[in-house]
Amino acid sequence: MITDQDLPKPWRVLASPIDQESSTQLDAAAGLQTGVEDPVSWDLLENTETGRRLMLRMGLDETGIVVTGVYVPGPGAIGIGELRSFPLAAIEAAVRARRGQSDASVAAALAAGPDAEDGPLGSPDGPNDRRFYGRLALRYLRVAAESPKPATDLAKAEGVTARTVQRWTARARELGLLPPGRPGRSS
């Protein structure tokens, strides 16, 4: 499923996913079979500047979420230049990043347990203290949603140094409890 946040301007989502009957018809026309073990979605996008519509089939392969099909409904022919302008790689990367963040959030919540927000974090009992790193990840994600410098702000709230929080978040990422950081950013 694609959201407007996954798309560069001037693209927008018209339907994500499109209805199951239309998806089945598109798969059949393309000679594709879809089973429960191969979750896919067809999404209808539109370029708000040109009015061009694009249907993307998103599925899974060994590397994660990928574009597995493209259909460009009329009217009119599509030139190679216009085809090259479709932001397929950017959309794929954005959807993967969002899914990675979602997967990490679920893993962190499971590791943290029901009292994730209770009391101060304290310190980990070792490098594999999943409960501690899960609690840290949930708090970090909450702060990161509102702050451009989440490590600094979380450090202040927890009474530790920003470097300590950065070290902890690096370990939480290694444990799969936080999504990968953005390259070139440090807070």
Side-chain angles (χ1 to χ4, degrees):
M1 178 190 286
I2 298 173
T3 67
D4 282 332
Q5 291 76 27
D6 298 328
L7 301 174
K9 299 293 180 209
W11 290 89
R12 69 179 179 139
V13 174
L14 293 180
S16 180
I18 65 171
D19 65 273
Q20 186 59 46
E21 183 179 334
S22 297
S23 290
T24 302
Q25 290 173 355
L26 283 167
D27 282 347
L32 302 169
Q33 293 183 350
T34 303
V36 174
E37 69 284 347
D38 179 28
V40 300
S41 72
W42 278 96
D43 305 285
L44 178 60
L45 315 177
E46 180 183 57
N47 183 313
T48 58
E49 292 176 355
T50 66
R52 174 62 81 181
R53 291 186 173 186
L54 174 67
M55 297 181 84
L56 292 183
R57 184 180 193 262
M58 303 295 289
L60 297 172
D61 73 2
E62 63 279 351
T63 64
I65 295 176
V66 293
V67 174
T68 59
V70 177
Y71 175 70
V72 183
I78 181 167
I80 192 70
E82 185 180 5
L83 188 60
R84 284 187 186 130
S85 73
F86 293 160
L88 302 179
I91 293 169
E92 193 175 87
V95 172
R96 278 186 185 189
R98 185 169 39 83
R99 174 148 182 200
Q101 183 165 358
S102 175
D103 290 350
S105 295
V106 169
L110 290 172
D115 59 347
E117 295 295 327
D118 293 349
L121 275 174
S123 297
D125 288 333
N128 295 318
D129 184 351
R130 290 187 65 80
R131 184 173 182 283
F132 170 83
Y133 288 107
R135 293 176 70 218
L136 166 81
L138 292 177
R139 291 179 190 199
Y140 181 87
L141 290 170
R142 180 178 34 82
V143 172
E146 299 176 10
S147 169
K149 295 187 175 193
T152 301
D153 293 343
L154 184 58
K156 287 178 187 172
E158 295 295 332
V160 297
T161 67
R163 179 65 190 124
T164 297
V165 171
Q166 289 168 348
R167 196 173 60 251
W168 287 345
T169 57
R171 182 62 186 147
R173 290 183 206 291
E174 290 171 1
L175 294 171
L177 303 173
L178 277 174
R182 292 188 297 192
R185 281 205 37 113
S186 176
S187 61

